[in-house]
Amino acid sequence: NKGKHRHFMEKEIYEQPEAIAYVLANYISLIENPADPIPSFDFASIPSLAISACGTAYLAGLIGKYWFEHYARLPVEIDVASEFRYREIPLSPQSAALFISQSGETADTLASLRYCKKLGLKIGAIVNAAESSIAREADAVFPILAGPEIGVASTKAFTCQLAVLAALAISAARTRGTVTENEVQALVRSLAEMPRIMGQVLNSIQPQIELLARELSKYRDALYLGRGTSFPLAMEGALKLKEISYIHAEGYAAGELKHGPIALIDKDMPVIVIAPFDRFFNKTVSNMEEVAARGGRVILVTDEKGATASKLDTMHTIVLPAVDEIIAPMIFSLPIQLLAYHTAVFMGTDVDQPRNLAKSVTVE
Ligand code: F6R
């Protein structure tokens, strides 16, 4: 039932504040109760963590990598499952592995899990479908708790995967002693603010996203740029746009711009720059200036502080509330998802059932 929404995708985008609140209600206790360690996952003793997944779930894992490394000082090896399973990665049996999947049935992700299991690693699964193959074969299951996701393009499962990963990374940081108690409390407070801020963003940005989407639907290509956790989010933005609107889109690390993609920049190449006012902001802005200097049209997605700091004349600037670094990827996902959604609606594509795609990919 789509309720008042035109598509399941739209409904699922708007369900995110509630879904995230539910995830947090279940995971914050995991951070706050060190006496209650995560089943089978002793983050304090593992030398490294391997993560494998496909598509959007892989991009959630890539953001998780930044968090595990930054907060918990835990080295992370990550790859798309179709490469991971065949790469013959020399993994230590003392390590743990995490597999992320909405459906819990993705063939390559399941094969990666079995590969790690054979090597003797502890297996954790971040899955939405509780009764799935990946959940059954894991030593520890971390439910995504997003509720059923019907739209083929993943939205709420992605942000809920991120919320689970953030909670695990903070919990790992705490057991590894790499953050202070005060820092843990501040991170938990930031996480707890997410549902309210998400609701506020969803209530306010739709009109401007629709105008922008009308514009974007006239182009054949688009480039997404970001640094730090905004880099995987740039790839997620490009994936979402291409899969439902069929506009060719690519996501790049902003610093890679001058190593090739800058050759593509002209007036026909809109560049969506994801730049919260974080420690990377100034560097990303200088990449944006390079785009503008070559006639590229910049769509800047930033926060209040970033909008004040940037003097650039953009095609459009989406301004979000300024939030803590740990929750920025989830908050910035919202305009990225809505932009893809409304662009596809303007293009008249089958948003919930994009051509050639299936919700669950059970063949490699
Ligand atoms: C993109 C999308 C896909 C899935 C991928 C993995 O919007 O939905 O890229 O993320 O097929 O699927 P799961 O999470 O079921 O393993």
Side-chain angles (χ1 to χ4, degrees):
N1 187 322
K2 292 177 218 157
K4 60 180 168 53
H5 297 283
R6 281 167 294 179
H7 300 96
F8 282 109
M9 182 179 176
E10 186 183 46
K11 175 172 178 262
E12 288 157 4
I13 289 173
Y14 281 86
E15 277 171 356
Q16 288 176 106
E18 208 183 316
I20 292 283
Y22 187 60
V23 174
L24 294 175
N26 282 272
Y27 279 88
I28 283 184
S29 62
L30 196 112
I31 304 170
E32 289 185 330
N33 197 352
D36 193 12
I38 302 171
S40 311
F41 254 70
D42 182 8
F43 279 115
S45 67
I46 53 174
S48 63
L49 181 67
I51 303 181
S52 177
C54 299
T56 288
Y58 161 72
L59 296 171
L62 208 46
I63 292 176
K65 172 189 164 86
Y66 284 83
W67 289 333
F68 280 111
E69 294 187 338
H70 176 73
Y71 296 108
R73 308 302 300 142
L74 181 60
V76 174
E77 162 67 58
I78 175 166
D79 209 341
V80 290
S82 55
E83 292 299 317
F84 189 102
R85 62 182 291 192
Y86 294 118
R87 260 179 56 201
E88 303 173 61
I89 310 173
L91 294 166
S92 152
Q94 274 76 49
S95 293
L98 266 182
F99 301 89
I100 310 168
S101 177
Q102 190 287 126
S103 65
E105 300 296 345
T106 301
D108 282 319
T109 309
L110 182 58
S112 299
L113 182 158
R114 289 178 177 157
Y115 171 79
C116 287
K117 206 170 188 175
K118 225 191 227 160
L119 292 179
L121 281 79
K122 280 274 178 266
I123 308 295
I126 300 182
V127 284
N128 203 32
E131 306 290 322
S132 58
S133 307
I134 291 174
R136 264 196 306 278
E137 297 193 22
D139 300 313
V141 176
F142 305 110
I144 293 169
L145 304 173
E149 189 180 65
I150 311 291
V152 164
S154 187
T155 52
K156 64 174 181 171
F158 175 66
T159 47
C160 289
Q161 283 159 2
L162 290 177
V164 172
L165 284 162
L168 290 181
I170 299 168
S171 165
R174 187 177 203 174
T175 49
R176 292 168 70 81
T178 51
V179 285
T180 64
E181 242 357 84
N182 282 343
E183 285 165 335
V184 171
Q185 291 317 319
L187 288 166
V188 168
R189 271 197 306 276
S190 301
L191 291 184
E193 283 184 346
M194 245 191 313
R196 180 185 57 80
I197 300 171
M198 284 183 139
Q200 183 190 331
V201 169
L202 288 171
N203 280 334
S204 61
I205 53 171
Q206 182 175 336
Q208 56 165 322
I209 298 270
E210 272 191 84
L211 285 176
L212 181 58
R214 186 189 297 270
E215 204 46 43
L216 193 60
S217 66
K218 296 176 190 153
Y219 292 89
R220 290 187 52 201
D221 310 274
L223 193 61
Y224 286 72
L225 300 178
R227 273 176 195 264
T229 53
S230 300
F231 163 43
L233 199 54
M235 290 196 276
E236 169 63 5
L239 175 58
K240 217 92 298 177
L241 186 71
K242 77 179 83 158
E243 73 178 323
I244 60 171
S245 76
Y246 316 145
I247 293 174
H248 165 237
E250 288 188 69
Y252 258 96
E256 278 288 292
L257 182 68
K258 55 171 76 60
H259 300 285
I262 200 163
L264 294 168
I265 303 295
D266 64 13
K267 63 176 184 16
D268 298 321
M269 175 68 86
V271 181
I272 296 125
V273 180
I274 304 172
F277 192 73
D278 56 17
R279 58 204 145 102
F280 308 112
F281 183 78
N282 288 331
K283 296 210 183 300
T284 308
V285 164
S286 77
N287 299 129
M288 218 164 74
E289 283 163 354
E290 291 161 5
V291 171
R294 286 158 184 83
R297 294 175 202 267
V298 174
I299 297 164
L300 173 62
V301 187
T302 186
D303 54 32
E304 287 143 358
K305 290 182 193 162
T308 313
S310 155
K311 300 281 166 280
L312 205 73
D313 194 15
T314 61
M315 172 175 154
H316 191 89
T317 302
I318 298 173
V319 184
L320 301 174
V323 296
D324 276 3
E325 192 168 315
I326 184 95
I327 66 167
M330 288 73 111
I331 304 300
F332 278 66
S333 291
L334 303 174
I336 293 304
Q337 295 168 347
L338 280 171
L339 184 59
Y341 172 73
H342 287 291
T343 304
V345 170
F346 277 118
M347 306 287 280
T349 58
D350 189 349
V351 173
D352 282 335
Q353 287 288 337
R355 67 188 182 202
N356 311 338
L357 285 172
K359 185 69 184 159
S360 177
V361 184
T362 53
V363 290
E364 70 169 283

